[in-house]
Amino acid sequence: MSHKNSQVKPPPNERVLAIGIRADAFTLDDLPPQFSTVEELAAQIERGWADLQAAGIDGEMCEIGMDVDEAEAELRRKFDGRSFGVALIGGGIRNVPENTVLFERIVNVLIDLQPGIRLSFNTHPNNALEALQRWLDR
């Protein structure tokens, strides 16, 4: 499935900002269930970004904490002098009810910083490329 037939305009450019919660922001008690250590999560994050780069994705990682104001400040730093066409927002932000305000803030800051940015959502760290290609391969 893609967005090829959508009337929504394509992204303003093909640079990607992959937004996720830093591994060290988790405690052992609140790690995603598929990870048993913070180090394991950190390694998966690094592998996931390396896989995207190997597939030719141009962009940057934006690892944030769970504090809403600090997350906004980090997003604003990432956009300083840079432009992104697609933001991939990780499931640790979107799928955890306690992170609803964080997710809401991220979406609104992205719209504020880059009008026309397209949002992309994966369902698992292993299908981030597929999620991005829905916008990038229009």
Side-chain angles (χ1 to χ4, degrees), residues 39-55:
E39 293 78 18
E40 189 178 296
L41 174 59
Q44 175 60 43
I45 292 169
E46 288 177 32
R47 275 192 308 274
W49 182 245
D51 290 347
L52 290 175
Q53 289 181 304

Side-chain angles (χ1 to χ4, degrees), residues 74-95:
E74 182 59 27
L75 279 172
R76 290 188 181 280
R77 279 190 292 276
K78 281 290 181 183
F79 275 83
D80 188 26
R82 297 179 196 92
S83 177
F84 299 96
V86 179
L88 175 69
I89 303 174
I93 296 166
R94 299 185 333 272
N95 299 331

Side-chain angles (χ1 to χ4, degrees), residues 14-15 17 23 27 46 53-54 56 73-74 76 79 81 96 98 103 107 109 111 114 118 123 126 132 135:
E14 293 200 351
R15 284 188 39 83
L17 183 64
T27 66
E46 288 177 32
Q53 289 181 304
E74 182 59 27
R76 290 188 181 280
F79 275 83
V96 178
E98 295 80 16
F103 179 42
V107 168
V109 169
I111 292 167
Q114 182 72 59
R118 299 296 167 240
T123 58
N126 295 338
L132 290 167
W135 283 112

